[in-house]
Amino acid sequence: MTPEVKTDRFNYIARYKSNQLIYGHGNTAVVTGWTVKEALCKNLQPSEYAVIGQLYSPTRGINILVRNLLINPHVRYLVLINATKEDKNAGAIKCLLDFFAYGVEENFSASGRKSWVICSSIAGYIDIDIDLNALEKLRHSLEVATAESISVAVEKIKYYAQKPMVDPWGMALEFPLSQFETTILPGVRYGHRIEGKTIAETWVKIIHRIKTTGIIRPSAYDSKWQELINLMAIITDEPEDFYFPEPNYLPINKSYLPEYISQVLDDAPDREGVKYTYGQRLRSWFGKDQIQQVINKLINDPDSARAVMSLWDPVKDEHHSPPCLNHIWVRIVDDQLSLTATFRSNDMFSAWPANGMGLRALQKYIYDGIVRGSNLHQNLRLGPLITFSQSAHIYDECWEHAESVIASQYSKICQKKDYYDPTGNFIIYLQNGRIIVEHTTPNSGEVVNCYSGKSSTQLSREITLNSPGLQVDHAMYLGSELQKAEIALSSGLIYEQDKPLRSSLS
Ligand SMILES: O=c1ccn([C@H]2C[C@H](O)[C@@H](COP(=O)(O)O)O2)c(=O)[nH]1
């Protein structure tokens, strides 16, 4: 435990997320959950509150909040707003309440890290480096109240502000924060393509790619993130009722999904303290129902490349909470309806799976609308969902959890390999003292090109020049087969593709 830190009375000092908070001079800390903090502060005087901040996640946010509260013993009241459906889904406010009501016990986090686990039905952790006595002191020194709406919260904050001044509960306490180390392999920075059958499988591959090769840089939220720029994810076969692994390692519950899908598909009125919803942007924001427009467009002109939905509002989005999802494009090719969604910024660990499922539901909705709307489209099938994430990042608070998902899932997922490469197949044999390589189409096996030579290096070079889109494992396989063929040529051994070299005597 590091000893006390000098604190200016009634000036809230935030060691963590300092640029994410609104500061006052009172002794009530206000946690707004998913309600935007600005919606509250306009109804209050700075003298009435110590600090106002949002809390999204129990596993990531509570630890930071508790650390900040320990540095500010003048905070004697805590008002928690539990107003939105997102709050109920995330469970952060409930978990924080349980911390104050029931405390913590020593145990392990989901990623196997020794932690103070909050005694709650919602998973929430506090770093083990924080002294238990300090946590107990904090729990017993703050009066906690909840509010289901902004107006009730304002009433409670004003009520506490009028009470006679209470002394700080003790000295400010700060505890060292252990840094999670990450090793980065060199890799491409701009432009990545990741494909998987389901959202769950693709997510694990995305997390792996960012964690192993992403660049660490400051985020806009007083933290760091690991980032790749322009990451395209292609999900080929997400089932209609969505695939949830057992046990579910995704950061979204099946029970929350209908609510999230409704946020994407349905119009919503403006609500104080709630950011835009995607449904609102798509259904009515620009005075048009863009989803219906796309359905009509593709019914009448299935070859159109103009089935576009736009969510960015250049007039209003300069300042507050602009949408992360900006552009959606729907296209029919070979009777397959694909949907491509572009995000300017995407939290690939915590948000992408829900984003993907919401978009898949939108894609299905458009598909159903087209098939229902015209009997000319009865052969139409649901094609891939493609997300294009411009800043594809993972926040530092999630790195450890991300590593544990990779450790438990990545190699399992990559083992499920089919040998299909859209670039085609290569048939290798020896003839008249030369290596012959026939390039065939992937399904029908038609020969489309033929190479001949004696050097595996030279042949590899020619093949890569003509087929730079070869899949990595396929290219490595070809390299080793060609090498075997060259050894057979020079040594007189017998070469047969995919078999060990053998002597003509055996
Ligand atoms: O549907 C969403 C909404 C938000 N975010 C993430 C992306 C960023 O991490 C953060 C928004 O940050 P700003 O760029 O809006 O500050 O939320 C998503 O990934 N998907």
Side-chain angles (χ1 to χ4, degrees), residues 425-427 436-441 446-452 462-463 466-467:
N425 296 320
F426 294 83
I427 296 160
I436 311 292
V437 185
E438 288 176 353
H439 182 182
T440 68
T441 53
E446 269 169 77
V447 178
V448 286
N449 204 350
C450 188
Y451 302 85
S452 146
E462 285 173 30
I463 294 169
N466 284 337
S467 303

Side-chain angles (χ1 to χ4, degrees), residues 220-221 225 260 275-276 278 321-325 343-348 351-352 355 393 395:
Y221 292 97
W225 68 26
Y260 186 73
K275 291 204 255 180
Y276 63 85
Y278 292 138
S321 305
C324 296
L325 169 64
F343 291 80
R344 65 174 172 83
S345 184
N346 214 178
D347 175 348
M348 303 309 277
W352 186 85
N355 288 153
H393 50 259
Y395 287 97

Side-chain angles (χ1 to χ4, degrees), residues 105-116:
E105 59 187 18
E106 190 178 321
N107 212 322
F108 293 92
S109 72
S111 65
R113 181 186 189 160
K114 201 169 174 200
S115 308
W116 297 119

Side-chain angles (χ1 to χ4, degrees), residues 32-40 42-43 54 81-89 147-151 256 259 262-263 266-281 284-285 320-321:
T32 67
W34 287 66
T35 300
V36 289
K37 56 186 183 298
E38 290 78 11
L40 194 78
K42 63 181 186 213
N43 299 301
Q54 292 185 228
I81 305 184
N82 203 2
T84 68
K85 287 177 183 154
E86 288 83 357
D87 288 313
K88 310 246 153 56
N89 176 55
E148 297 278 322
S149 68
I150 295 176
S151 55
Y256 175 63
E259 165 60 33
S262 160
Q263 285 181 29
D266 302 329
D267 200 2
D270 258 339
R271 269 177 54 208
E272 195 185 15
V274 178
K275 291 204 255 180
Y276 63 85
T277 71
Y278 292 138
Q280 185 185 27
R281 291 271 166 150
S284 62
W285 191 265
H320 289 302
S321 305

Side-chain angles (χ1 to χ4, degrees), residues 83-306:
T84 68
K85 287 177 183 154
E86 288 83 357
D87 288 313
K88 310 246 153 56
N89 176 55
I93 299 291
K94 170 163 182 0
C95 189
L96 184 58
L97 276 170
D98 288 340
F99 166 69
F100 280 97
Y102 311 115
V104 294
E105 59 187 18
E106 190 178 321
N107 212 322
F108 293 92
S109 72
S111 65
R113 181 186 189 160
K114 201 169 174 200
S115 308
W116 297 119
V117 177
I118 297 173
C119 302
S120 171
S121 56
I122 311 272
Y125 314 115
I126 295 174
D127 289 339
I128 201 82
D129 327 76
I130 300 179
D131 181 43
L132 184 59
N133 292 326
L135 290 178
E136 289 301 290
K137 182 85 180 136
L138 181 75
R139 282 182 55 226
H140 293 112
S141 303
L142 267 64
E143 186 174 328
V144 183
T146 50
E148 297 278 322
S149 68
I150 295 176
S151 55
V152 173
V154 168
E155 228 171 78
K156 293 199 169 160
I157 297 160
K158 288 190 184 289
Y159 165 74
Y160 287 134
Q162 281 157 17
K163 288 180 82 154
M165 197 58 74
V166 199
D167 283 337
W169 53 260
M171 296 300 220
L173 298 167
E174 194 175 356
F175 298 88
L177 184 65
S178 50
Q179 292 293 327
F180 180 72
E181 295 296 327
T182 198
T183 315
I184 303 170
L185 302 176
V188 173
R189 183 177 302 176
Y190 302 104
H192 289 256
R193 180 189 195 278
I194 295 177
E195 183 174 317
K197 287 195 162 46
T198 60
I199 288 171
E201 173 189 324
T202 314
W203 181 66
V204 174
K205 291 182 184 172
I206 293 172
I207 296 311
H208 173 266
R209 183 78 62 94
I210 300 177
K211 270 313 287 129
T212 47
T213 62
I215 305 287
I216 296 177
R217 55 176 114 245
S219 80
Y221 292 97
D222 201 19
S223 64
K224 286 183 285 180
W225 68 26
Q226 208 173 345
E227 180 186 51
L228 291 172
I229 294 178
N230 292 341
L231 187 153
M232 178 169 64
I234 300 155
I235 302 109
T236 54
D237 295 286
E238 182 66 32
E240 232 172 79
D241 56 349
F242 297 98
Y243 168 68
F244 280 87
E246 287 277 352
N248 184 16
Y249 53 75
L250 295 173
I252 175 168
N253 289 327
K254 205 166 190 166
S255 58
Y256 175 63
L257 192 56
E259 165 60 33
Y260 186 73
I261 289 175
S262 160
Q263 285 181 29
V264 177
L265 289 183
D266 302 329
D267 200 2
D270 258 339
R271 269 177 54 208
E272 195 185 15
V274 178
K275 291 204 255 180
Y276 63 85
T277 71
Y278 292 138
Q280 185 185 27
R281 291 271 166 150
L282 293 171
R283 291 294 197 182
S284 62
W285 191 265
F286 299 100
K288 295 271 183 193
D289 180 345
Q290 300 189 68
I291 301 179
Q292 199 53 50
Q293 276 184 321
V294 159
I295 294 173
N296 296 344
K297 171 120 229 129
L298 289 173
I299 287 176
N300 296 322
D301 183 3
D303 292 325
S304 176
R306 298 181 184 176

Side-chain angles (χ1 to χ4, degrees), residues 332-351:
I332 298 176
V333 172
D334 292 341
D335 283 329
Q336 278 200 348
L337 180 135
S338 64
L339 182 145
T340 305
T342 304
F343 291 80
R344 65 174 172 83
S345 184
N346 214 178
D347 175 348
M348 303 309 277
F349 191 80
S350 305

